[in-house]
Amino acid sequence: LCAAIVGRSPLGGEPVPQYTPLEDATALYRQAARDAMESAAGIAQYQPNLRRLLRAFENNSAMLEDVLAGMLGRRDQWQRMGQRLRARGEFVSAVSELVDEYLAEGAALFPAPLLEELDVLTKFARANREAEGDLGPLAFVPPSGPLNLRDLTQAKGLRGLLLQGEGLVRKRVDCRQGFPAQKNHDDPDLAKARKDAMESLLGRLPEYPGLVGWLRTVEGLPDPAKAADDWGLLHDAATLLEVASTALKIVFAARRQVDFIAAQTAADEVLGTLDAPTDFALSLDYRLAHILIDEFQDTSLGQFELFEKLTAGWTGEDGRTIFFVGDPMQSIYRFREANYALFLRLIDQCRFGSVPLTPLELRANFRARPELVNWLNAHRKAFEPEQDAALMPPPNTARGRRMALA
């Protein structure tokens, strides 16, 4: 679609019509990353950035090349940040805000009774490790007061207590986690009761929607206190990525090939903006009458905005139609910024721009037995990834079945 839009544009945008969109542009990303590193090594302006990055990668240039190539394949996700990557204060503030927001979301996943039970059990475990003279993995537990999962250290500590290294929920606990055998405790009955209670709690953890997934990812959260130090390396990476992005355009031109990101970027450019559409966008508006989008649950924000531009002048009375088909439970492209909350928002609002939408729920299923479908619908919360809260509709919005919006 994007290549067709650019191909019809008289504006001479890139990619030009004879460029071939590639399903897999990995080889081109690698070539551009290699060219960028060679270019940076020969230009005094970029040499300090490259030198610091190589030091961070322990002088493993192949690894740095791999990282740059991977980032080029996701440049639609980070290029939007623009100069924000270069503003130290904004970066530090953004890291702190994002971590606080993520911790608040995680804390809300823990029902009060569960948190109270955890508080009792972790205090017991901490006391046992303290008696041995080594708090070990229980150092995160406050000596007094309740657990606070909006504290990064406590959140990461709880993750280490409840999950194994590979992210699986523990099945058993022992003296290493602060739950000694009966014979090794002053109060054998209490030791058994607490150990049994902890293992029972571990067995119930997967029943709480989103909780285990949050615990798995909290380990990777950056420490806002160290964000200022990290900014320097991020600045170096952003600088080298700009060089790599320029190198990639040269590789595209030489090979007469492009990836889908370049095609979408070019389409965005020739269409202009919602507030200031180009003449070409206005002319295309009169020629485009019907749009059907399948698998809409895997639409990214950038793609969503492209569809908004294509239908900016549409109304509900001009005979033009847009048809969305998808199933929020089948969303599998979160790593490409797909966000099924965009679909849920349309279902909730029953409107796309100025075009009214009619939700149609498709109930006939020819792919699986009713028992399997009903079980998945009943347990869907356990499989749903975290989404952008700003895009989510209010609670109780219908989901879990394939929907069509016309």
Side-chain angles (χ1 to χ4, degrees):
L1 173 62
C2 292
I5 291 172
V6 177
R8 295 183 180 184
S9 168
L11 303 181
E14 295 181 359
V16 294
Q18 58 266 38
Y19 282 20
T20 304
L22 292 177
E23 287 280 352
D24 183 1
T26 302
L28 277 62
Y29 300 149
R30 288 189 175 280
Q31 181 63 54
R34 192 176 306 117
D35 292 348
M37 291 173 64
E38 291 177 0
S39 176
I43 301 176
Q45 176 185 352
Y46 301 121
Q47 287 173 355
N49 307 106
L50 178 61
R51 186 163 49 249
R52 286 190 291 265
L53 284 172
L54 283 172
R55 189 183 305 126
F57 281 82
E58 299 179 346
N59 289 320
N60 189 332
S61 59
M63 183 183 298
L64 178 57
E65 180 185 311
D66 286 344
V67 170
L68 289 174
M71 291 296 288
L72 287 174
R74 296 189 293 273
R75 64 193 185 282
D76 56 327
Q77 300 178 26
W78 52 262
Q79 280 183 334
R80 287 198 209 123
M81 300 179 187
Q83 292 302 313
R84 291 193 65 190
L85 290 175
R86 299 193 171 278
R88 181 171 184 166
E90 283 195 32
F91 170 72
V92 173
S93 176
V95 169
S96 181
E97 290 175 8
L98 288 171
V99 170
D100 287 346
E101 180 181 333
Y102 195 78
L103 292 175
E105 291 176 359
L109 297 173
F110 286 77
L114 175 64
L115 202 53
E116 291 171 3
E117 187 177 4
L118 274 170
D119 195 54
V120 171
L121 293 172
T122 54
K123 289 288 195 299
F124 171 80
R126 186 188 196 281
N128 291 326
R129 290 296 308 233
E130 191 172 24
E132 296 177 6
D134 178 17
L135 288 176
L138 278 302
F140 74 93
V141 181
S144 61
L147 285 172
N148 177 16
L149 295 185
R150 299 191 65 168
D151 178 280
L152 183 61
T153 300
Q154 293 189 39
K156 289 188 174 185
L158 188 63
R159 186 262 186 220
L161 179 65
L162 301 180
L163 305 186
Q164 298 175 350
E166 62 273 23
L168 299 177
V169 179
R170 293 186 187 277
K171 295 183 181 297
R172 299 284 184 268
V173 289
D174 54 32
C175 60
R176 292 171 294 181
Q177 291 82 41
F179 295 89
Q182 288 179 265
K183 63 180 181 180
N184 297 328
H185 196 271
D186 294 339
D187 188 338
D189 291 337
L190 178 63
K192 183 180 186 307
R194 291 286 191 260
K195 186 173 186 295
D196 290 347
M198 187 62 179
E199 292 179 351
S200 173
L201 183 150
L202 291 169
R204 301 194 312 271
L205 275 187
E207 299 174 8
Y208 296 97
L211 194 151
V212 174
W214 179 81
L215 285 170
R216 285 173 180 153
T217 55
V218 77
E219 181 64 27
L221 291 179
D223 185 351
K226 299 178 180 178
D229 297 332
D230 294 337
W231 175 84
L233 192 59
L234 179 67
H235 181 272
D236 292 330
T239 300
L240 199 57
L241 282 170
E242 288 183 1
V243 178
S245 295
T246 301
L248 184 60
K249 291 180 181 179
I250 296 173
V251 172
F252 284 159
R255 300 283 189 92
R256 308 192 75 78
Q257 296 173 319
V258 293
D259 62 358
F260 291 124
I261 299 173
Q264 182 176 324
T265 300
D268 279 326
E269 290 175 355
V270 300
L271 291 174
T273 66
L274 286 174
D275 295 331
T278 62
D279 291 339
F280 170 70
L282 295 174
S283 67
L284 185 64
D285 180 67
Y286 289 104
R287 288 181 281 167
L288 197 60
H290 306 286
I291 298 177
L292 187 151
I293 305 163
D294 197 7
E295 305 296 351
F296 189 71
Q297 74 279 353
D298 287 321
T299 297
S300 69
L301 184 59
Q303 294 165 340
F304 188 89
E305 291 171 347
L306 179 67
F307 297 137
E308 285 184 315
K309 291 180 183 181
L310 291 174
T311 60
W314 293 22
T315 69
E317 293 79 34
D318 58 12
R320 292 180 288 188
T321 62
I322 185 164
F323 199 91
F324 303 97
V325 182
D327 179 356
M329 283 187 64
Q330 294 185 38
S331 181
I332 59 174
Y333 285 98
R334 179 63 171 168
F335 65 96
R336 291 184 182 173
E337 282 203 314
N339 196 327
Y340 71 78
L342 292 165
F343 195 13
L344 299 181
R345 187 172 73 179
L346 291 187
I347 296 173
D348 178 69
Q349 296 176 349
C350 292
R351 179 170 294 277
F352 184 71
S354 299
V355 182
L357 300 174
T358 302
L360 306 172
E361 188 170 356
L362 310 181
R363 293 179 172 274
N365 187 326
F366 304 100
R367 296 180 177 180
R369 294 180 60 83
E371 296 85 356
L372 178 59
V373 174
N374 293 337
W375 185 90
L376 286 171
N377 282 333
H379 295 82
R380 61 177 171 77
K381 275 288 186 182
F383 306 106
E384 289 181 355
E386 297 296 327
Q387 301 293 319
D388 187 343
L391 300 176
M392 292 295 286
N396 302 321
T397 297
R399 68 181 82 172
R401 298 184 180 88
R402 195 163 181 81
M403 300 288 294
L405 293 166

